């Protein structure tokens, strides 16, 4: 059966004192322990409190009523401690979830602007900081939204995000910036290594197929601007400025 508390006498001839307390807590860490000690062993009882006992009482200075109340209070404090631990665990989980959501685009589950900025800040600290950056811009996306509706447009964005993630390495970053623009960062990657990944992304985007409610299929293409950076830019806006210029040149 479940135990509510343990009453432990540290002075029994066949006991092992504080070692017994350690064994009890290892076996049943959630059970409150009330220590019984003699007047001369009060220092050991204080040490037991530091090692996790809930309370101690001195033999010869208590009666049955006081001992019963001490045990009940120890049980209540332990229950309260468990409740506080559970609340704190829930708060930590909620804070971790909120912290993640603040960095993630809710539609595509890629990084958002803040998440991308933190990735750039991390890469600035690396040596060498070689970075290959891609701007993936979906072609005619506004026309698609206007023609088949925003629900289909969202489905297209989600599909493209999945293809991006599947095309990248574990160390790479993918972010959605704006409505139909995606940025991909390839850390410690030079041009010769980055170009095949860019081509893989282009083919993956072109292979995306999204079915519309009428039964048709939406084909998607994208324009990609790519550049090797000897040093990461200081901000997302700086990176976008460079990538927009490269993308514009690629379309000429």
């Amino acid at each position: 059966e479940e135990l509510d508390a343990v009453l432990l006498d540290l002075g029994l001839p066949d006991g092992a004192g504080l070692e017994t307390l350690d064994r009890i807590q290892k076996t049943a860490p959630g059970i409150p322990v009330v220590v019984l000690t003699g007047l001369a062993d009060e220092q050991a009882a204080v040490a037991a409190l530091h090692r996790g006992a809930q309370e101690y009482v001195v033999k010869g200075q208590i009666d049955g009523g006081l001992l019963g109340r001490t045990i009940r209070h120890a049980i209540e404090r332990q229950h309260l401690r468990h409740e506080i631990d559970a609340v704190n665990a829930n708060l930590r989980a909620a804070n971790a979830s909120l912290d993640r959501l603040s960095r993630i685009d809710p539609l595509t589950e890629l990084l958002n602007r803040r998440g991308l900025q933190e990735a750039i800040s991390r890469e600035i600290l690396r040596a060498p900081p070689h970075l290959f950056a891609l701007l993936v811009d979906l072609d005619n996306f506004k026309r698609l939204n206007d023609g088949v509706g925003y629900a289909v447009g969202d489905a297209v964005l989600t599909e493209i995000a999945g293809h991006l993630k599947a095309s990248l390495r574990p160390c790479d970053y993918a972010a959605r910036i704006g409505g139909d623009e995606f940025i991909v960062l390839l850390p410690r990657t030079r041009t010769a290594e980055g170009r095949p990944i860019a081509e893989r992304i282009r083919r993956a985007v072109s292979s995306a197929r999204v079915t519309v409610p009428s039964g048709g299929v939406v084909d998607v293409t994208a324009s990609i601007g790519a550049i090797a950076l000897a040093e990461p830019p200081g901000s997302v806006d700086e990176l976008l400025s460079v990538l927009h210029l490269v993308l514009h040149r690629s379309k000429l």
Side-chain angles (χ1 to χ4, degrees):
E1 297 180 3
E2 292 186 6
L3 301 177
D4 293 314
V6 172
L7 183 62
L8 173 62
D9 191 339
L10 294 180
L12 293 178
D14 58 348
L18 293 175
E19 292 181 11
T20 305
L21 173 62
D22 293 339
R23 290 171 58 192
I24 290 172
Q25 292 192 313
K26 184 177 180 181
T27 304
I31 304 260
V33 178
V34 175
V35 167
L36 276 174
T37 183
L39 183 59
D41 296 326
E42 195 165 356
Q43 186 173 356
V46 173
L49 295 182
H50 290 300
R51 291 167 80 153
Q54 273 284 357
E55 188 57 272
Y56 79 91
V57 290
V58 179
K59 290 182 285 187
Q61 295 185 355
I62 58 167
D63 55 23
L66 178 58
L67 179 59
R69 288 195 297 274
T70 301
I71 293 173
R72 285 196 301 273
H73 291 164
I75 294 171
E76 291 170 1
R77 281 197 299 272
Q78 190 74 355
H79 286 167
L80 181 60
R81 178 182 296 176
H82 288 164
E83 291 175 1
I84 292 174
D85 288 345
V87 169
N88 288 336
N90 290 335
L91 285 174
R92 287 192 296 270
N95 287 335
S97 178
L98 289 173
D99 187 59
R100 179 182 179 277
L101 289 174
S102 71
R103 294 167 170 80
I104 299 296
D105 173 57
L107 176 63
T108 62
E109 295 190 350
L110 299 178
L111 295 175
N112 60 15
R113 182 178 286 263
R114 179 184 175 188
L116 182 62
Q117 181 62 62
E118 292 186 358
I120 291 173
S121 299
R122 283 195 297 272
E123 292 306 317
I124 289 175
L125 302 177
R126 294 184 184 274
H130 300 295
L131 192 67
F132 197 79
L134 309 172
L135 177 61
V136 181
D137 181 38
L138 301 187
D139 297 326
N140 303 315
F141 188 74
K142 184 179 185 303
R143 186 187 305 169
L144 184 148
N145 263 341
D146 293 341
V148 297
Y150 288 95
V152 175
D154 287 349
V156 168
L157 293 173
T158 303
E159 180 77 9
I160 297 303
H163 284 285
L164 284 179
K165 287 185 281 190
S167 303
L168 299 179
R169 305 165 300 183
C171 64
D172 299 332
Y173 305 99
R176 180 188 174 206
I177 304 294
D180 60 340
E181 288 186 334
F182 300 86
I183 286 182
V184 174
L185 298 183
L186 309 177
R188 301 179 299 283
T189 303
R190 299 180 184 274
T191 301
E193 303 163 319
R195 281 178 175 169
I197 298 176
E199 177 60 18
R200 186 163 71 229
I201 290 173
R202 188 194 65 78
R203 291 198 303 266
V205 171
S206 297
S207 68
R209 298 288 185 274
V210 177
T211 302
V212 299
S214 62
V217 176
V218 174
D219 293 324
V220 183
T221 60
S223 300
I224 298 179
I227 188 171
L229 302 168
E231 295 185 0
S235 68
V236 173
D237 288 335
E238 290 180 27
L239 178 60
L240 271 174
S241 178
V242 173
L243 285 172
H244 276 142
L245 181 59
V246 173
L247 181 65
H248 177 70
R249 289 174 178 172
S250 72
K251 291 184 176 182
L252 294 178

